[in-house]
Amino acid sequence: MLKFTSDCLAPTATILLIIGAGGGFNQVLKDSGVGKAIADMALNMNVPLLVLAFTVAALIRVATGSATVALTTAAGIVAPIAEQTMGTSAAVRPELLVLATGAGSIILSHMNDSGFWLIKEYFNMTVAQILKTWTALEKILAVAAFAFTLLLHLFV
């Protein structure tokens, strides 16, 4: 029984540890004021909201490895800016912000992403194979989703 549970729980424990570390990083970003600093800087630089949402989510994804942490943190940073621009010419539909943030949150799956290790273990692949396939796939998906979002923005 001990061998069975060890074999089953060992990969899961690693994944949970990585996700927990990503959540901890999310809280550090919030508590340290980094989110507010990014929002203030973006307002001063007049960065388009869709680009900001995508970029912030992508940067957090690369830093933490967690798409969930990237998505929620980027939404927390971009939402106050979106609220300030409502009713102005810079306003963007919330649905498009969700798509841009989601696209940025999946941009790069690498060694600090629990999904990276999950795919590696379940398909019994090497790290090099995962980097050439899974990581490349996620880059393509993110860029295509963001391009589609920008295209939708032209028509909505």
Side-chain angles (χ1 to χ4, degrees):
M1 182 65 105
L2 179 61
K3 182 182 175 349
F4 174 75
T5 55
S6 294
D7 290 345
C8 294
L9 295 178
T12 306
T14 304
I15 292 167
L16 289 175
L17 181 63
I18 293 169
I19 292 171
F25 182 73
N26 177 33
Q27 195 61 45
V28 167
L29 287 177
K30 287 180 180 177
D31 291 347
S32 67
V34 171
K36 182 168 176 12
I38 292 170
D40 292 343
M41 184 176 65
L43 282 171
N44 292 334
M45 294 174 51
N46 293 325
V47 176
L49 278 177
L50 291 176
V51 173
L52 178 66
F54 178 82
T55 304
V56 169
L59 290 173
I60 295 169
R61 164 61 177 221
V62 171
T64 65
S66 171
T68 305
V69 171
L71 190 64
T72 56
T73 304
I77 292 169
V78 174
I81 300 170
E83 287 176 14
Q84 288 180 4
T85 62
M86 287 299 163
T88 68
S89 61
V92 176
R93 294 182 60 96
E95 299 87 352
L96 296 177
L97 283 172
V98 169
L99 292 174
T101 307
S105 75
I106 63 167
I107 194 153
L108 183 64
S109 177
H110 57 92
M111 279 74 122
N112 65 348
D113 175 19
S114 57
F116 178 94
W117 296 106
L118 186 97
I119 297 298
K120 180 198 171 302
E121 292 300 318
Y122 281 118
F123 289 106
N124 198 26
M125 299 172 81
T126 66
V127 170
Q129 289 172 320
I130 293 297
L131 287 170
K132 290 177 184 174
T133 56
W134 179 254
T135 301
L137 168 74
E138 289 215 330
K139 285 182 212 170
I140 292 166
L141 285 172
V143 171
F146 185 56
F148 184 67
T149 302
L150 292 175
L151 184 65
L152 277 174
H153 181 60
L154 294 175
F155 298 105
V156 199

